[in-house]
Amino acid sequence: MRQRGIVALDDSERASQRRGYSRLTRVRKARFLIIWSGAFQTSALFIMPYEPIENYGVIGDLQTVALVGMNGSIDFMCFPHFDSPSIFAALLDHKKGGCFQLAPILRGERRKQIYFPDTNMLLTRFLSADGVAEVSDFMPIKAEGHAHHLVRRAKAVRGELSFRMICAPAFDYGRAGHKVEAKRGEVLFTSEAADHLALRLRTSLPVRIENGAVIAEFKLAAGETAAFVLENVENAAESHGAASDPDYVVAAFKETMNFWRGWVRKSSYKGRWREMVNRSALTLKLLTYAPTGALVAAPTFGLPEEIGGERNWDYRFTWIRDASFTVYGLMRLGYTEEAAAFMNWIENRCHDCSSDGSLQIMYGLDGRRELIEERLLHWEGYAGSSPVRIGNGAAGQLQLDIYGELMDSVYIYNKFGQPISYDLWQSLVRVTDWLCANWQQPDEGIWEVRGGQREFLYSRLMAWVAVDRAVRLSLKRSFPAPLDRWLRVRDEIYTDIYRNFWSADLHSFVQYKGAKTVDASTLLMPLVKFSGPTDPRWLSTLGAIENSLVEDSLVYRYNIGDSASDGLSGKEGTFNMCSFWFVECLSRAGDLEKARFFFEKAIGYANHLGLYSEELGPSGEHLGNFPQAFTHLALISTAYNLDRTLSGLK
């Protein structure tokens, strides 16, 4: 039997989980499973098939990540890269997805999970009257020999404790079988998929094989440890490597800790909320694909924006839209090397643009254009939320706002980083000329609606930003450009926004031409310098957004049903990045007391490790892909601006 939730719950914990999962149980009923083993007494355990999304921490090696639950189970990991097929995905199908569990066998234990300070290395602690246990998880960054190592180490802190380890991979999104071969000190998993991916699990403990899974059951006295290293195998016949060294785990632990702490020390941020800002920076670094410098929007796919709903997307790609926010956030914290690497990725996309000068809205981490969307119909989805999608059909949409984010990122980097090259400028001229000829087109907009194109305000706003930054760059660097045309188009866009997107009835800018509703993306107006932060029309718009979209300190992106159709059924939660945008608008408008109050409420919705998913549900549960880069970028920008404003700096 595939085993999950190996720890029994007492009555109070059962009641707590029932309350916490009141919405989930409407989709799937809780289950009773019998867990047995020849070495342990049979017990009936009440479990929930899915952990809350916020119950996970994230570790990684700058090429992929693993989600580690507070129950000691790794329930999501694509391998060996962010956009590779999954090997563990019990988070999306608890029966067929695969998992890697390591936990003590205790009754009524309390669980705590922390990052070792200033690192992306996790410590999960299990506390009970019978003893205290810890599980450490990390992925070495600079390991010698084989790359892509996942290290798990169990420790008995107090008492003699029994542990169980289950490694049950499910290759190629659970579509491929695999072979298992046990040798002395190691187990080989070989996928039957076309890539024939092979994994090696190293351990000094005796194991047994059941239904393609490897199980180890062992006891540790106080102070004793047991380690498991999962690694990529390039040559199955070759068992030697860095991880075969008896001292490898200890050495890799120290080396990885030194790497992360050394990286955090490079931050120039010394203001308020430093711990949250540093955690957001560490998360962004974790979501960076080292070979190209690209940043994934989130490392997961298929996590729902509504439990039981169909709003389930693949975010394991790089959006042009994220460019300016990424460069701005990294530059503000002093991470010029990371900003330069991402700018190099952006430059390559500009050189590789279409013959007419247009760009895709998103690309693969290596710059590939084909991101074909398909459904994994053999998986039930997180808590029954189907379909599970991989790939992203929105890659073929027209979203004109991306040109504004692109040009703003180049402008920021040229100003605070390094001067851009002539070759990049030549590509940007082509891109800007294309936009000048196409800015009036309807498109799918920032929210990637699938209900038809419209003339969205945000797309028009960012088209203005694109041309404005192109003009500024040309003048600042004396680059040759058709300035007369660009200036004329920039002014036409500006006038169009005030004439066609302002509602005299609502006293507000509206979501799209002819609309009667507002949109949270409009919060970017003062942030991109289109409108002054205290302009009367802007303050009136800010009030309309607050009245229509803000609930306590949290912000919806738009009102489903009243806004442009997104072509999907169901509802969604508040958008975390929009909540931070709202705070920054309050701060820039001078309402510092309210801005600080709302900001500190918003950061209180982070999970126990300071991480954010894309959205929050009605009871504060995390929804959508996790962790989301955009939210952490917005947090950094808001904290930076609010701290400086509170300190009287500009």
Side-chain angles (χ1 to χ4, degrees):
M1 177 180 292
R2 184 66 55 83
Q3 302 179 16
R4 287 186 53 76
I6 61 176
V7 180
L9 305 178
D10 61 22
D11 291 340
S12 63
E13 287 175 311
R14 293 175 186 173
S16 175
Q17 286 206 8
R18 289 192 187 102
R19 289 192 297 270
Y21 272 98
S22 59
R23 297 180 70 247
L24 186 152
T25 53
R26 290 198 294 269
V27 181
R28 294 191 60 82
K29 294 182 179 180
R31 304 179 180 185
F32 287 86
L33 295 183
I34 302 298
I35 306 299
W36 73 86
S37 166
F40 296 91
Q41 186 175 2
T42 300
S43 60
L45 307 181
F46 178 88
I47 69 165
M48 303 302 291
Y50 295 97
E51 286 285 313
I53 295 171
E54 62 267 26
N55 275 19
Y56 288 88
V58 187
I59 59 173
D61 63 355
L62 308 184
Q63 295 198 37
T64 191
V65 303
L67 270 61
V68 185
M70 294 183 71
N71 61 357
S73 183
I74 293 178
D75 290 338
F76 186 93
M77 185 179 186
C78 294
F79 195 83
H81 307 298
F82 289 108
D83 53 0
S84 299
S86 62
I87 58 171
F88 304 124
L91 195 56
L92 296 169
D93 192 300
H94 73 104
K95 292 181 179 179
K96 305 173 185 176
C99 62
F100 187 178
Q101 300 178 19
L102 178 60
I105 300 173
L106 297 168
R107 285 187 174 274
E109 86 281 4
R110 292 175 293 117
R111 303 167 186 170
K112 295 185 178 181
Q113 193 176 56
I114 61 172
Y115 279 114
F116 289 96
D118 293 335
T119 77
N120 281 314
M121 306 167 70
L122 274 173
L123 178 69
T124 306
R125 186 171 287 141
F126 303 81
L127 307 101
S128 79
D130 298 324
V132 175
E134 293 177 346
V135 174
S136 302
D137 290 291
F138 67 98
M139 296 183 70
I141 301 296
K142 295 181 178 180
E144 297 178 358
H146 290 293
H148 309 299
H149 293 178
L150 169 63
V151 180
R152 312 201 71 187
R153 181 170 61 178
K155 180 179 180 179
V157 177
R158 182 177 58 78
E160 184 179 62
L161 301 176
S162 297
F163 290 78
R164 180 183 290 118
M165 184 283 302
I166 305 172
C167 186
F171 291 90
D172 189 29
Y173 303 111
R175 297 179 296 194
H178 63 273
K179 299 177 182 178
V180 187
E181 181 183 3
K183 298 182 180 180
R184 182 179 178 85
E186 64 182 55
V187 179
L188 290 176
F189 300 91
T190 305
S191 171
E192 295 175 352
D195 60 1
H196 298 295
L197 178 66
L199 304 175
R200 177 184 287 115
L201 179 66
R202 295 185 185 270
T203 180
S204 60
L205 297 170
V207 300
R208 70 178 188 274
I209 299 173
E210 291 186 7
N211 298 322
V214 173
I215 302 172
E217 291 164 333
F218 55 97
K219 291 186 178 181
L220 297 176
E224 291 183 338
T225 63
F228 303 87
V229 180
L230 187 68
E231 63 181 353
N232 192 23
V233 178
E234 296 178 358
N235 183 357
E238 177 59 62
S239 62
H240 298 294
S244 63
D245 189 320
D247 298 322
Y248 170 76
V249 172
V250 173
F253 184 91
K254 293 179 180 178
E255 183 180 38
T256 305
M257 181 169 288
N258 289 338
F259 170 85
W260 287 117
R261 289 182 172 174
W263 188 83
V264 168
R265 282 197 296 269
K266 296 178 183 178
S267 174
S268 60
Y269 186 79
K270 308 299 179 185
R272 300 168 178 83
W273 312 291
R274 192 181 312 173
E275 185 174 348
M276 287 297 295
V277 170
N278 283 349
R279 177 49 53 197
S280 289
L282 282 162
T283 303
L284 292 176
K285 180 65 173 177
L286 203 59
L287 302 186
T288 301
Y289 184 60
T292 65
L295 184 81
V296 293
T300 57
F301 62 90
L303 293 180
E305 297 176 14
E306 179 189 27
I307 300 297
E310 66 170 329
R311 299 168 183 267
N312 318 313
W313 313 109
D314 189 345
Y315 276 15
R316 299 172 298 158
F317 310 112
T318 300
W319 270 251
I320 294 292
R321 179 176 297 112
D322 296 6
S324 64
F325 301 97
T326 302
V327 172
Y328 178 85
L330 294 173
M331 295 296 294
R332 285 304 190 192
L333 300 183
Y335 291 114
T336 55
E337 182 179 338
E338 284 74 15
F342 191 41
M343 185 53 58
N344 182 65
W345 185 89
I346 290 291
E347 182 169 354
N348 288 334
R349 303 292 73 73
C350 291
H351 293 329
D352 191 36
C353 65
S354 300
S355 58
D356 61 1
S358 62
L359 294 165
Q360 277 194 185
I361 69 165
M362 71 179 86
Y363 295 84
L365 299 176
D366 57 359
R368 73 184 186 281
R369 292 170 171 267
E370 293 295 324
L371 307 175
I372 299 172
E373 183 174 308
E374 59 180 302
R375 301 182 177 195
L376 302 179
L377 299 178
H378 61 291
W379 278 356
E380 69 175 14
Y382 177 84
S385 305
S386 62
V388 177
R389 296 180 176 91
I390 56 173
N392 200 311
Q397 289 186 349
L398 176 64
Q399 297 177 20
L400 294 172
D401 67 282
I402 66 168
Y403 298 94
E405 286 108 359
L406 167 70
M407 293 303 302
D408 198 40
S409 69
V410 175
Y411 179 79
I412 291 170
Y413 186 73
N414 184 83
K415 182 177 181 179
F416 297 106
Q418 297 293 326
I420 66 169
S421 68
Y422 170 78
D423 290 330
L424 175 56
W425 175 249
Q426 290 296 100
S427 296
L428 295 175
V429 169
R430 291 176 57 218
V431 168
T432 306
D433 282 342
W434 181 90
L435 182 63
C436 285
N438 291 275
W439 64 270
Q440 293 176 306
Q441 289 193 49
D443 68 351
E444 280 85 5
I446 180 176
W447 307 127
E448 302 179 351
V449 299
R450 302 191 177 196
Q453 295 182 335
R454 293 181 182 270
E455 292 185 56
F456 286 103
L457 170 60
Y458 184 74
S459 298
R460 200 60 48 89
L461 168 69
M462 297 310 291
W464 176 89
V465 170
V467 183
D468 177 74
R469 301 313 190 258
V471 169
R472 290 172 183 251
L473 265 171
S474 174
L475 294 174
K476 185 176 183 63
R477 293 288 307 281
S478 299
F479 281 136
L483 285 177
D484 288 345
R485 182 186 182 213
W486 288 1
L487 286 167
R488 184 180 69 254
V489 171
R490 184 186 69 175
D491 293 347
E492 288 175 357
I493 299 174
Y494 189 91
T495 302
D496 180 66
I497 289 175
Y498 273 95
R499 285 181 177 174
N500 297 311
F501 294 86
W502 171 260
S503 170
D505 294 335
L506 296 178
H507 299 287
S508 170
F509 290 102
V510 292
Q511 183 186 42
Y512 60 89
K513 188 177 290 188
K516 298 297 181 182
T517 186
V518 295
D519 188 298
S521 64
T522 311
L523 292 167
L524 270 294
M525 268 190 163
L527 275 56
V528 298
K529 312 297 184 185
F530 177 86
S531 172
T534 58
D535 181 274
R537 290 204 190 196
W538 167 247
L539 291 179
S540 178
T541 300
L542 185 62
I545 291 174
E546 182 169 10
N547 291 334
S548 180
L549 301 179
V550 179
E551 189 175 83
D552 192 37
S553 61
L554 305 176
V555 181
Y556 293 92
R557 57 180 180 171
Y558 52 77
N559 286 319
I560 294 178
D562 297 330
S563 301
S565 172
D566 57 16
L568 300 166
S569 62
K571 300 180 180 180
E572 60 186 23
T574 56
F575 264 60
N576 289 315
M577 66 180 180
C578 297
S579 300
F580 289 119
W581 288 348
F582 181 70
V583 170
E584 187 162 352
C585 286
L586 291 174
S587 172
R588 290 175 182 265
D591 195 347
L592 296 183
E593 183 176 343
K594 185 175 182 179
R596 181 169 189 170
F597 179 61
F598 273 31
F599 180 70
E600 291 179 340
K601 293 191 76 173
I603 62 177
Y605 283 100
N607 82 342
H608 58 289
L609 297 169
L611 304 177
Y612 289 89
S613 63
E614 185 176 23
E615 302 179 26
L616 295 174
S619 58
E621 70 273 24
H622 286 224
L623 297 171
N625 286 305
F626 172 87
Q628 193 207 28
F630 222 149
T631 296
H632 288 278
L633 287 164
L635 185 154
I636 290 172
S637 176
T638 302
Y640 181 90
N641 176 268
L642 182 56
D643 176 71
R644 287 179 61 83
T645 306
L646 287 169
S647 299
L649 302 173
K650 281 294 184 182

